[in-house]
Structure formats: C-alpha cells, structure tokens
Amino acid sequence: MKDYYEVLGVSRDASPEEIKKAFYKLAHKYHPDKGGSAEKFKEINEAYQVLSNKEKRQQYDKFGRVFEGSGADFREGFSGFDWSNFNWQGSDFETPFGFATDNFDFNDILSDFFRSATGAGARRTKYQSEKANNKGRDIEVSLEISLEEAAFGSKKDISFKTYLSCEHCQGKGYEAGSKLKECSECKGEGSIRQSHRSFFGEITQIVECPKCKGKGKVPEKPCEICGGDGRYYGNKEIKVEIPVGIRDGETIRIKEGGEAGILGGPNGDLYIRIIIKPHPVFERQGDDLYISLPISFTEAVLGAKKEIQLLDKKTIFLKIPPGTESGEIFRIRGKGIKHFNALGQGDLYVRVKIKTPKKVSAKARELLEELEKQIE
C-alpha cells in the first residue's frame, strides 16, 4: 500500500493548506483530460480525500488505512497485520501497533465486518428504491478563473467526460416495443451469494449480480446505442455562473449536473472547485487586496500624488505624505473585493516601495551629497 504523504509529496506534519496546494498541482499535471494518467490521478485523489479530512487523517496516521463505515473491506483495512502476535487471552491485548483495548475495540470492527459479510444492508435493490440504486455518481472538477472573474462574477463554459443519458432510448436501456424483464441470474434480487474460506472459517457474502449489475432487471432487447444501461460515455458541456466574491478553494454545486443515472435514474451532482490564478499586480487576502506602489526617493521625501489603477480598471489618486518610508502601508477603504453574499466590500492596501537608482550622474551625486549635508 502506497504512503499517501509520498503520493502527494508532502511531509507527515504538512498543514492542510500545504496538502491542498500539493493536490491542486498534481491534479492539474495528471488530469486525464490533459493527457495525464488516469490511474495516477485516481491515486492522487484518493490520497487527498484522506489527508484533507481531519478525522480520516488521524485514523490513517494511527492505523495506516481509513475505514469507511461498516462496508469497509476487512482484508484491505488490516493488510500487513501480524496475527501471530495477537493475544486472544484476557480482556486486554496488544497489537503490533501498540494499542490496548481501551483505545482500540477489536469487537466493534468484527461486528462491522460480519454485518457486511452476512448481507445486512447488502441487498441494496431489495431495500432501496430502484431509482436511488440507479443514481449517477457525483463528479468533482476544478476550474481555473482569474482574480477579476472571482471579484466581479462571470459565466464560464466547461466540458468534461462522463456518462450521458441515452437520447435514443430516452434512458430506458431498451429498444422501442421492448421492456425490462427479471434477471435470470439473481431472480430480481440484484445480488447473489458467494462463499469463500477465510481466517474465520467459511464466509458467505452477498455481492452485486454481475449480469444485471445490481438492477435486478435486464432489457429484453437492449438499446443499440447504449447497450442496455440507458446511458453512454461522452463529453458534457455546461455553463457555470461564477458568483461575485467567490474565494480560492470554494466549491460550486450544480444539482444533477454530474453523471447520468442508470436506466433513467437521477443524475449525480456536479461539484466545481474554484482555483483562482495568481494576479500579476494584486494579491488577495480574504476580501482585501494588496498592491505594491514604487515611488522615487524625492517623492518619499517631498510627498507626491500617485495614480493607482484598480482591479476594475478605474483610477484613483493616493496622496503620499512627505517623509514616507519604504514599506509603509496605506489603507483605502471599500476598494477591495465585494463580500460574497453580503453587503460591502474589502479594502485596498497600498504598500510603498522606494526605488533606489542604480546609476547616478556626477551632477546628481553632487546634489545628493549636498542634500545629505542639509538633511543632517
């Protein structure tokens, strides 16, 4: 099993922000739509889903694996566990990880495992509605936008690969005049029993039917276009409205904008994670903007009135008082970014930087030396 920290290229004490930045960089590099490796992208995403979640990360740091509910795969969860060191006697025990019963309840894990293995909650098609079982998966994509687009809002066209509802059969999965019939393999249950021997003896598991893929029904005459699923894999295009004031890393949810469901089931949702590109002039901190303003030595000494172009291309004038020092910051209220879903907006902070000339003429040097005497 690969180390998630090594996958993202971060240290074990990396901050959440460092983990997020590492993920964005690698996801951008290995995204399949940009010619990257689908397997590598999946691996990166898996690592990020664990390390970006506080509870999952704590579990991973302790156990080396994260469990997702009672349906977690027992063998994967305990890969590498040395059962020969396990003490079956008494109420307390120690494992190769060094945990005792007050911190690590083995019985709880066993109960979760046997609930899954014996089929409690496994017959999804029997206990859930057909539509819920056929729902498409949620999709998450990243969208890069400019600081201007984030500040003032915009509309963006995005495209991505996913399953689309088949127009030929209208998502039903069968040709006109045909219908669905009960699956002969699972008798309409959507699942079948499989038995195998394990450390605990013979285990019977209830798994998804391979013939109907858990639906319990198969088409009499499958659709010629989608082959019976009611959907096909293709390119989806969607227009996204970027709200005013959205911040880097925030997510836009488009209900039912994700993967098409099987046999007319509901679509999954689309989650668009916003990545704001660095700006050549402005730096954003919250809803405030920061900018560096170069001024000459004489402007710093004598004072000046400097023109500043704002993010919306409008211009304002800033009065530089005499005796201004390099690094001083001036605050201009209400010239930052509009608050997201709230009244008002942030401020603009202007950081003054005094330019020092690289070369001076003999006359200029003479004047500066005279000025230095006068200032002293």
Side-chain angles (χ1 to χ4, degrees):
M1 181 180 68
K2 292 188 177 181
D3 188 300
Y4 287 154
Y5 292 98
E6 291 183 1
V7 170
L8 295 182
V10 297
S11 63
R12 301 193 75 84
D13 58 354
S15 66
E17 186 65 25
E18 290 173 328
I19 290 172
K20 183 172 72 171
K21 287 182 178 179
F23 168 70
Y24 287 161
K25 182 179 179 180
L26 293 172
H28 182 79
K29 180 179 179 181
Y30 291 103
H31 197 286
D33 289 347
K34 296 185 177 181
S37 167
E39 285 300 318
K40 183 68 174 177
F41 183 78
K42 181 180 178 181
E43 181 179 88
I44 293 166
N45 186 59
E46 179 183 346
Y48 178 68
Q49 294 303 321
V50 172
L51 299 185
S52 64
N53 182 289
K54 184 178 179 181
E55 293 182 359
K56 290 182 180 180
R57 185 178 180 182
Q58 288 175 345
Q59 290 178 340
Y60 177 73
D61 288 342
K62 287 182 179 180
F63 307 121
R65 192 76 176 183
V66 177
F67 294 90
E68 291 287 356
S70 61
D73 186 85
F74 185 86
R75 292 166 296 174
E76 288 186 2
F78 275 84
S79 60
F81 191 96
D82 186 0
W83 295 98
S84 62
N85 293 331
F86 184 77
N87 179 15
W88 292 94
Q89 304 298 323
S91 58
D92 293 333
F93 68 92
E94 290 190 358
T95 73
F97 304 100
F99 298 116
T101 22
D102 56 347
N103 295 325
F104 187 85
D105 193 342
F106 185 69
N107 289 328
D108 285 348
I109 295 178
L110 284 181
S111 63
D112 283 345
F113 168 66
F114 282 114
R115 264 201 306 272
S116 175
T118 54
R123 296 188 183 185
R124 295 179 298 166
T125 47
K126 185 173 182 179
Y127 300 109
Q128 296 179 4
S129 70
E130 182 176 319
K131 277 196 171 183
N133 191 41
N134 291 347
K135 182 181 179 181
R137 292 178 301 178
D138 295 339
I139 295 176
E140 180 177 333
V141 299
S142 296
L143 175 62
E144 283 190 338
I145 63 174
S146 66
L147 182 59
E148 288 85 353
E149 288 171 328
F152 309 117
S154 64
K155 291 183 179 181
K156 302 282 286 186
D157 292 319
I158 63 171
S159 63
F160 52 93
K161 296 286 187 180
T162 187
Y163 282 99
L164 308 173
S165 180
C166 179
E167 297 178 358
H168 179 72
C169 65
Q170 298 180 336
K172 296 177 181 178
Y174 51 84
E175 291 290 332
S178 181
K179 61 181 181 180
L180 293 175
K181 64 178 182 179
E182 182 181 281
C183 175
S184 60
E185 185 75 17
C186 64
K187 306 302 181 185
E189 290 290 328
S191 57
I192 58 174
R193 289 180 174 83
Q194 287 184 347
S195 298
H196 65 274
R197 298 193 63 81
S198 71
F199 176 83
F200 300 99
E202 187 170 2
I203 299 295
T204 298
Q205 289 181 296
I206 297 178
V207 299
E208 182 181 87
C209 175
K211 183 174 182 179
C212 66
K213 299 179 181 178
K215 299 187 287 289
K217 297 179 180 180
V218 293
E220 288 182 337
K221 186 179 180 182
C223 171
E224 296 178 355
I225 303 300
C226 65
D229 276 349
R231 61 181 190 172
Y232 66 95
Y233 196 72
N235 191 61
K236 185 170 186 175
E237 296 181 355
I238 192 168
K239 186 177 288 292
V240 183
E241 186 167 345
I242 308 298
V244 173
I246 194 167
R247 297 186 180 185
D248 183 64
E250 291 184 325
T251 300
I252 300 172
R253 178 196 176 203
I254 300 180
K255 190 176 181 181
E256 297 188 351
E259 181 181 274
I262 300 174
L263 295 179
N267 289 7
D269 296 334
L270 174 63
Y271 293 87
I272 303 171
R273 185 176 294 274
I274 298 298
I275 301 175
I276 300 177
K277 294 180 287 188
H279 195 276
V281 176
F282 294 92
E283 177 187 347
R284 180 179 181 177
Q285 295 185 20
D287 288 337
D288 296 328
L289 291 175
Y290 286 76
I291 186 175
S292 293
L293 178 65
I295 63 174
S296 67
F297 174 72
T298 54
E299 288 174 327
V301 174
L302 303 176
K305 193 175 184 181
K306 300 292 289 185
E307 184 180 61
I308 297 175
Q309 187 178 69
L310 302 177
L311 193 61
D312 60 3
K313 306 305 180 183
K314 295 180 181 178
T315 57
I316 60 172
F317 289 91
L318 174 66
K319 185 177 180 181
I320 306 296
T324 295
E325 295 184 359
S326 185
E328 280 195 53
I329 296 177
F330 296 90
R331 177 186 182 186
I332 304 175
R333 294 181 181 273
K335 296 302 180 182
I337 293 177
K338 186 182 183 302
H339 299 316
F340 181 59
N341 286 338
L343 297 175
Q345 58 192 92
D347 302 325
L348 173 64
Y349 290 86
V350 182
R351 184 183 293 107
V352 171
K353 182 178 181 181
I354 299 175
K355 295 184 296 182
T356 303
K358 300 292 184 182
K359 297 180 180 180
V360 293
S361 65
K363 181 64 176 177
R365 178 180 293 275
E366 183 181 335
L367 292 173
L368 287 171
E369 290 173 349
E370 182 63 30
L371 176 63
E372 185 178 18
K373 293 177 183 178
Q374 294 296 324
I375 293 176
E376 292 178 348

PDB file of all heavy atoms in Angstrom, residues 271-296:
ATOM      1  N   TYR A 271     -19.734  19.087  -8.650  1.00  0.00           N
ATOM      2  CA  TYR A 271     -19.063  19.993  -7.720  1.00  0.00           C
ATOM      3  C   TYR A 271     -17.869  20.619  -8.445  1.00  0.00           C
ATOM      4  O   TYR A 271     -16.969  19.911  -8.897  1.00  0.00           O
ATOM      5  CB  TYR A 271     -18.595  19.242  -6.478  1.00  0.00           C
ATOM      6  CG  TYR A 271     -19.739  18.742  -5.617  1.00  0.00           C
ATOM      7  CD1 TYR A 271     -20.324  17.499  -5.865  1.00  0.00           C
ATOM      8  CD2 TYR A 271     -20.241  19.510  -4.579  1.00  0.00           C
ATOM      9  CE1 TYR A 271     -21.379  17.037  -5.088  1.00  0.00           C
ATOM     10  CE2 TYR A 271     -21.299  19.065  -3.798  1.00  0.00           C
ATOM     11  CZ  TYR A 271     -21.858  17.831  -4.055  1.00  0.00           C
ATOM     12  OH  TYR A 271     -22.904  17.382  -3.287  1.00  0.00           O
ATOM     13  N   ILE A 272     -17.886  21.930  -8.527  1.00  0.00           N
ATOM     14  CA  ILE A 272     -16.826  22.651  -9.240  1.00  0.00           C
ATOM     15  C   ILE A 272     -15.967  23.386  -8.220  1.00  0.00           C
ATOM     16  O   ILE A 272     -16.429  24.332  -7.564  1.00  0.00           O
ATOM     17  CB  ILE A 272     -17.424  23.646 -10.247  1.00  0.00           C
ATOM     18  CG1 ILE A 272     -18.355  22.905 -11.228  1.00  0.00           C
ATOM     19  CG2 ILE A 272     -16.324  24.381 -10.999  1.00  0.00           C
ATOM     20  CD1 ILE A 272     -19.143  23.829 -12.112  1.00  0.00           C
ATOM     21  N   ARG A 273     -14.729  22.918  -8.077  1.00  0.00           N
ATOM     22  CA  ARG A 273     -13.809  23.552  -7.133  1.00  0.00           C
ATOM     23  C   ARG A 273     -13.061  24.683  -7.846  1.00  0.00           C
ATOM     24  O   ARG A 273     -12.433  24.473  -8.883  1.00  0.00           O
ATOM     25  CB  ARG A 273     -12.818  22.520  -6.581  1.00  0.00           C
ATOM     26  CG  ARG A 273     -11.901  23.079  -5.504  1.00  0.00           C
ATOM     27  CD  ARG A 273     -11.020  21.995  -4.924  1.00  0.00           C
ATOM     28  NE  ARG A 273     -11.817  21.013  -4.211  1.00  0.00           N
ATOM     29  CZ  ARG A 273     -12.171  21.133  -2.929  1.00  0.00           C
ATOM     30  NH1 ARG A 273     -11.819  22.211  -2.267  1.00  0.00           N
ATOM     31  NH2 ARG A 273     -12.873  20.185  -2.339  1.00  0.00           N
ATOM     32  N   ILE A 274     -13.148  25.869  -7.269  1.00  0.00           N
ATOM     33  CA  ILE A 274     -12.580  27.063  -7.894  1.00  0.00           C
ATOM     34  C   ILE A 274     -11.103  27.235  -7.525  1.00  0.00           C
ATOM     35  O   ILE A 274     -10.719  27.156  -6.359  1.00  0.00           O
ATOM     36  CB  ILE A 274     -13.362  28.326  -7.473  1.00  0.00           C
ATOM     37  CG1 ILE A 274     -14.823  28.234  -7.946  1.00  0.00           C
ATOM     38  CG2 ILE A 274     -12.694  29.576  -8.003  1.00  0.00           C
ATOM     39  CD1 ILE A 274     -14.983  28.152  -9.445  1.00  0.00           C
ATOM     40  N   ILE A 275     -10.288  27.453  -8.551  1.00  0.00           N
ATOM     41  CA  ILE A 275      -8.872  27.774  -8.361  1.00  0.00           C
ATOM     42  C   ILE A 275      -8.626  29.148  -8.997  1.00  0.00           C
ATOM     43  O   ILE A 275      -8.825  29.318 -10.191  1.00  0.00           O
ATOM     44  CB  ILE A 275      -7.966  26.724  -9.024  1.00  0.00           C
ATOM     45  CG1 ILE A 275      -8.237  25.341  -8.431  1.00  0.00           C
ATOM     46  CG2 ILE A 275      -6.498  27.101  -8.860  1.00  0.00           C
ATOM     47  CD1 ILE A 275      -7.475  24.229  -9.117  1.00  0.00           C
ATOM     48  N   ILE A 276      -8.251  30.105  -8.170  1.00  0.00           N
ATOM     49  CA  ILE A 276      -8.013  31.470  -8.670  1.00  0.00           C
ATOM     50  C   ILE A 276      -6.534  31.620  -9.035  1.00  0.00           C
ATOM     51  O   ILE A 276      -5.648  31.416  -8.201  1.00  0.00           O
ATOM     52  CB  ILE A 276      -8.411  32.519  -7.625  1.00  0.00           C
ATOM     53  CG1 ILE A 276      -9.909  32.368  -7.291  1.00  0.00           C
ATOM     54  CG2 ILE A 276      -8.119  33.928  -8.141  1.00  0.00           C
ATOM     55  CD1 ILE A 276     -10.388  33.308  -6.211  1.00  0.00           C
ATOM     56  N   LYS A 277      -6.286  31.986 -10.277  1.00  0.00           N
ATOM     57  CA  LYS A 277      -4.909  32.130 -10.754  1.00  0.00           C
ATOM     58  C   LYS A 277      -4.240  33.359 -10.113  1.00  0.00           C
ATOM     59  O   LYS A 277      -4.906  34.358  -9.845  1.00  0.00           O
ATOM     60  CB  LYS A 277      -4.907  32.267 -12.285  1.00  0.00           C
ATOM     61  CG  LYS A 277      -5.370  31.014 -13.008  1.00  0.00           C
ATOM     62  CD  LYS A 277      -5.351  31.177 -14.513  1.00  0.00           C
ATOM     63  CE  LYS A 277      -6.483  32.088 -14.988  1.00  0.00           C
ATOM     64  NZ  LYS A 277      -6.590  32.099 -16.464  1.00  0.00           N
ATOM     65  N   PRO A 278      -2.936  33.290  -9.879  1.00  0.00           N
ATOM     66  CA  PRO A 278      -2.216  34.446  -9.328  1.00  0.00           C
ATOM     67  C   PRO A 278      -2.343  35.652 -10.260  1.00  0.00           C
ATOM     68  O   PRO A 278      -2.344  35.506 -11.480  1.00  0.00           O
ATOM     69  CB  PRO A 278      -0.773  33.962  -9.243  1.00  0.00           C
ATOM     70  CG  PRO A 278      -0.867  32.466  -9.223  1.00  0.00           C
ATOM     71  CD  PRO A 278      -2.055  32.121 -10.068  1.00  0.00           C
ATOM     72  N   HIS A 279      -2.448  36.840  -9.665  1.00  0.00           N
ATOM     73  CA  HIS A 279      -2.565  38.071 -10.448  1.00  0.00           C
ATOM     74  C   HIS A 279      -1.209  38.760 -10.513  1.00  0.00           C
ATOM     75  O   HIS A 279      -0.445  38.749  -9.535  1.00  0.00           O
ATOM     76  CB  HIS A 279      -3.594  38.998  -9.793  1.00  0.00           C
ATOM     77  CG  HIS A 279      -4.059  40.101 -10.683  1.00  0.00           C
ATOM     78  ND1 HIS A 279      -3.360  41.286 -10.827  1.00  0.00           N
ATOM     79  CD2 HIS A 279      -5.148  40.203 -11.495  1.00  0.00           C
ATOM     80  CE1 HIS A 279      -4.008  42.073 -11.675  1.00  0.00           C
ATOM     81  NE2 HIS A 279      -5.091  41.435 -12.089  1.00  0.00           N
ATOM     82  N   PRO A 280      -0.865  39.365 -11.640  1.00  0.00           N
ATOM     83  CA  PRO A 280       0.460  39.998 -11.762  1.00  0.00           C
ATOM     84  C   PRO A 280       0.633  41.252 -10.905  1.00  0.00           C
ATOM     85  O   PRO A 280       1.754  41.658 -10.631  1.00  0.00           O
ATOM     86  CB  PRO A 280       0.538  40.337 -13.265  1.00  0.00           C
ATOM     87  CG  PRO A 280      -0.879  40.417 -13.714  1.00  0.00           C
ATOM     88  CD  PRO A 280      -1.617  39.407 -12.905  1.00  0.00           C
ATOM     89  N   VAL A 281      -0.477  41.867 -10.482  1.00  0.00           N
ATOM     90  CA  VAL A 281      -0.389  43.129  -9.740  1.00  0.00           C
ATOM     91  C   VAL A 281      -0.955  43.000  -8.333  1.00  0.00           C
ATOM     92  O   VAL A 281      -0.334  43.416  -7.356  1.00  0.00           O
ATOM     93  CB  VAL A 281      -1.115  44.266 -10.503  1.00  0.00           C
ATOM     94  CG1 VAL A 281      -1.097  45.555  -9.679  1.00  0.00           C
ATOM     95  CG2 VAL A 281      -0.480  44.483 -11.869  1.00  0.00           C
ATOM     96  N   PHE A 282      -2.154  42.443  -8.212  1.00  0.00           N
ATOM     97  CA  PHE A 282      -2.858  42.404  -6.937  1.00  0.00           C
ATOM     98  C   PHE A 282      -2.670  41.063  -6.235  1.00  0.00           C
ATOM     99  O   PHE A 282      -2.618  40.012  -6.868  1.00  0.00           O
ATOM    100  CB  PHE A 282      -4.352  42.665  -7.142  1.00  0.00           C
ATOM    101  CG  PHE A 282      -4.669  44.048  -7.624  1.00  0.00           C
ATOM    102  CD1 PHE A 282      -4.760  44.315  -8.982  1.00  0.00           C
ATOM    103  CD2 PHE A 282      -4.868  45.085  -6.726  1.00  0.00           C
ATOM    104  CE1 PHE A 282      -5.048  45.585  -9.444  1.00  0.00           C
ATOM    105  CE2 PHE A 282      -5.162  46.362  -7.179  1.00  0.00           C
ATOM    106  CZ  PHE A 282      -5.251  46.624  -8.543  1.00  0.00           C
ATOM    107  N   GLU A 283      -2.612  41.148  -4.914  1.00  0.00           N
ATOM    108  CA  GLU A 283      -2.603  39.949  -4.075  1.00  0.00           C
ATOM    109  C   GLU A 283      -3.856  39.982  -3.200  1.00  0.00           C
ATOM    110  O   GLU A 283      -4.159  41.007  -2.578  1.00  0.00           O
ATOM    111  CB  GLU A 283      -1.358  39.930  -3.190  1.00  0.00           C
ATOM    112  CG  GLU A 283      -1.312  38.737  -2.239  1.00  0.00           C
ATOM    113  CD  GLU A 283      -0.157  38.821  -1.263  1.00  0.00           C
ATOM    114  OE1 GLU A 283       0.744  39.658  -1.473  1.00  0.00           O
ATOM    115  OE2 GLU A 283      -0.179  38.065  -0.268  1.00  0.00           O
ATOM    116  N   ARG A 284      -4.589  38.875  -3.172  1.00  0.00           N
ATOM    117  CA  ARG A 284      -5.825  38.831  -2.410  1.00  0.00           C
ATOM    118  C   ARG A 284      -5.610  38.155  -1.062  1.00  0.00           C
ATOM    119  O   ARG A 284      -5.017  37.088  -0.983  1.00  0.00           O
ATOM    120  CB  ARG A 284      -6.900  38.070  -3.189  1.00  0.00           C
ATOM    121  CG  ARG A 284      -8.240  37.983  -2.452  1.00  0.00           C
ATOM    122  CD  ARG A 284      -9.280  37.257  -3.269  1.00  0.00           C
ATOM    123  NE  ARG A 284     -10.558  37.191  -2.598  1.00  0.00           N
ATOM    124  CZ  ARG A 284     -11.662  36.656  -3.117  1.00  0.00           C
ATOM    125  NH1 ARG A 284     -11.631  36.134  -4.334  1.00  0.00           N
ATOM    126  NH2 ARG A 284     -12.795  36.635  -2.434  1.00  0.00           N
ATOM    127  N   GLN A 285      -6.139  38.762  -0.012  1.00  0.00           N
ATOM    128  CA  GLN A 285      -6.162  38.173   1.322  1.00  0.00           C
ATOM    129  C   GLN A 285      -7.568  38.362   1.866  1.00  0.00           C
ATOM    130  O   GLN A 285      -7.946  39.473   2.250  1.00  0.00           O
ATOM    131  CB  GLN A 285      -5.131  38.811   2.238  1.00  0.00           C
ATOM    132  CG  GLN A 285      -3.689  38.572   1.820  1.00  0.00           C
ATOM    133  CD  GLN A 285      -2.688  39.126   2.820  1.00  0.00           C
ATOM    134  OE1 GLN A 285      -3.019  39.359   3.984  1.00  0.00           O
ATOM    135  NE2 GLN A 285      -1.460  39.329   2.372  1.00  0.00           N
ATOM    136  N   GLY A 286      -8.338  37.268   1.871  1.00  0.00           N
ATOM    137  CA  GLY A 286      -9.748  37.402   2.210  1.00  0.00           C
ATOM    138  C   GLY A 286     -10.444  38.205   1.131  1.00  0.00           C
ATOM    139  O   GLY A 286     -10.358  37.881  -0.052  1.00  0.00           O
ATOM    140  N   ASP A 287     -11.092  39.293   1.527  1.00  0.00           N
ATOM    141  CA  ASP A 287     -11.703  40.191   0.545  1.00  0.00           C
ATOM    142  C   ASP A 287     -10.902  41.485   0.398  1.00  0.00           C
ATOM    143  O   ASP A 287     -11.359  42.426  -0.262  1.00  0.00           O
ATOM    144  CB  ASP A 287     -13.151  40.507   0.954  1.00  0.00           C
ATOM    145  CG  ASP A 287     -14.062  39.311   0.755  1.00  0.00           C
ATOM    146  OD1 ASP A 287     -13.711  38.435  -0.058  1.00  0.00           O
ATOM    147  OD2 ASP A 287     -15.109  39.242   1.416  1.00  0.00           O
ATOM    148  N   ASP A 288      -9.726  41.540   1.002  1.00  0.00           N
ATOM    149  CA  ASP A 288      -8.849  42.698   0.864  1.00  0.00           C
ATOM    150  C   ASP A 288      -7.859  42.459  -0.268  1.00  0.00           C
ATOM    151  O   ASP A 288      -7.491  41.322  -0.569  1.00  0.00           O
ATOM    152  CB  ASP A 288      -8.076  42.956   2.164  1.00  0.00           C
ATOM    153  CG  ASP A 288      -8.998  43.331   3.317  1.00  0.00           C
ATOM    154  OD1 ASP A 288     -10.045  43.962   3.063  1.00  0.00           O
ATOM    155  OD2 ASP A 288      -8.674  42.987   4.473  1.00  0.00           O
ATOM    156  N   LEU A 289      -7.433  43.561  -0.895  1.00  0.00           N
ATOM    157  CA  LEU A 289      -6.440  43.496  -1.956  1.00  0.00           C
ATOM    158  C   LEU A 289      -5.177  44.239  -1.528  1.00  0.00           C
ATOM    159  O   LEU A 289      -5.258  45.274  -0.839  1.00  0.00           O
ATOM    160  CB  LEU A 289      -6.980  44.122  -3.246  1.00  0.00           C
ATOM    161  CG  LEU A 289      -8.106  43.365  -3.956  1.00  0.00           C
ATOM    162  CD1 LEU A 289      -8.619  44.168  -5.136  1.00  0.00           C
ATOM    163  CD2 LEU A 289      -7.637  41.984  -4.416  1.00  0.00           C
ATOM    164  N   TYR A 290      -4.031  43.713  -1.935  1.00  0.00           N
ATOM    165  CA  TYR A 290      -2.751  44.343  -1.629  1.00  0.00           C
ATOM    166  C   TYR A 290      -2.018  44.638  -2.933  1.00  0.00           C
ATOM    167  O   TYR A 290      -2.059  43.839  -3.871  1.00  0.00           O
ATOM    168  CB  TYR A 290      -1.894  43.437  -0.740  1.00  0.00           C
ATOM    169  CG  TYR A 290      -2.359  43.359   0.695  1.00  0.00           C
ATOM    170  CD1 TYR A 290      -3.477  42.606   1.038  1.00  0.00           C
ATOM    171  CD2 TYR A 290      -1.700  44.055   1.699  1.00  0.00           C
ATOM    172  CE1 TYR A 290      -3.921  42.537   2.356  1.00  0.00           C
ATOM    173  CE2 TYR A 290      -2.127  43.992   3.024  1.00  0.00           C
ATOM    174  CZ  TYR A 290      -3.242  43.230   3.342  1.00  0.00           C
ATOM    175  OH  TYR A 290      -3.675  43.175   4.647  1.00  0.00           O
ATOM    176  N   ILE A 291      -1.347  45.777  -2.957  1.00  0.00           N
ATOM    177  CA  ILE A 291      -0.608  46.175  -4.150  1.00  0.00           C
ATOM    178  C   ILE A 291       0.660  46.904  -3.725  1.00  0.00           C
ATOM    179  O   ILE A 291       0.682  47.593  -2.693  1.00  0.00           O
ATOM    180  CB  ILE A 291      -1.482  47.092  -5.053  1.00  0.00           C
ATOM    181  CG1 ILE A 291      -0.774  47.391  -6.371  1.00  0.00           C
ATOM    182  CG2 ILE A 291      -1.864  48.359  -4.339  1.00  0.00           C
ATOM    183  CD1 ILE A 291      -1.617  48.189  -7.349  1.00  0.00           C
ATOM    184  N   SER A 292       1.741  46.756  -4.484  1.00  0.00           N
ATOM    185  CA  SER A 292       2.981  47.474  -4.220  1.00  0.00           C
ATOM    186  C   SER A 292       3.050  48.691  -5.136  1.00  0.00           C
ATOM    187  O   SER A 292       2.781  48.586  -6.342  1.00  0.00           O
ATOM    188  CB  SER A 292       4.202  46.576  -4.458  1.00  0.00           C
ATOM    189  OG  SER A 292       4.246  45.540  -3.502  1.00  0.00           O
ATOM    190  N   LEU A 293       3.406  49.819  -4.561  1.00  0.00           N
ATOM    191  CA  LEU A 293       3.488  51.069  -5.323  1.00  0.00           C
ATOM    192  C   LEU A 293       4.913  51.617  -5.262  1.00  0.00           C
ATOM    193  O   LEU A 293       5.369  52.068  -4.206  1.00  0.00           O
ATOM    194  CB  LEU A 293       2.513  52.099  -4.751  1.00  0.00           C
ATOM    195  CG  LEU A 293       2.523  53.480  -5.420  1.00  0.00           C
ATOM    196  CD1 LEU A 293       2.047  53.368  -6.867  1.00  0.00           C
ATOM    197  CD2 LEU A 293       1.659  54.461  -4.639  1.00  0.00           C
ATOM    198  N   PRO A 294       5.649  51.574  -6.367  1.00  0.00           N
ATOM    199  CA  PRO A 294       7.002  52.131  -6.372  1.00  0.00           C
ATOM    200  C   PRO A 294       6.974  53.665  -6.443  1.00  0.00           C
ATOM    201  O   PRO A 294       6.204  54.243  -7.222  1.00  0.00           O
ATOM    202  CB  PRO A 294       7.627  51.528  -7.633  1.00  0.00           C
ATOM    203  CG  PRO A 294       6.470  51.226  -8.529  1.00  0.00           C
ATOM    204  CD  PRO A 294       5.305  50.926  -7.644  1.00  0.00           C
ATOM    205  N   ILE A 295       7.791  54.314  -5.617  1.00  0.00           N
ATOM    206  CA  ILE A 295       7.920  55.777  -5.665  1.00  0.00           C
ATOM    207  C   ILE A 295       9.413  56.126  -5.625  1.00  0.00           C
ATOM    208  O   ILE A 295      10.243  55.330  -5.188  1.00  0.00           O
ATOM    209  CB  ILE A 295       7.188  56.473  -4.497  1.00  0.00           C
ATOM    210  CG1 ILE A 295       7.804  56.060  -3.148  1.00  0.00           C
ATOM    211  CG2 ILE A 295       5.702  56.162  -4.535  1.00  0.00           C
ATOM    212  CD1 ILE A 295       7.237  56.822  -1.965  1.00  0.00           C
ATOM    213  N   SER A 296       9.726  57.305  -6.080  1.00  0.00           N
ATOM    214  CA  SER A 296      11.127  57.736  -6.096  1.00  0.00           C
ATOM    215  C   SER A 296      11.536  58.259  -4.720  1.00  0.00           C
ATOM    216  O   SER A 296      10.688  58.522  -3.857  1.00  0.00           O
ATOM    217  CB  SER A 296      11.328  58.829  -7.147  1.00  0.00           C
ATOM    218  OG  SER A 296      10.632  60.006  -6.771  1.00  0.00           O
TER     219      SER A 296
END
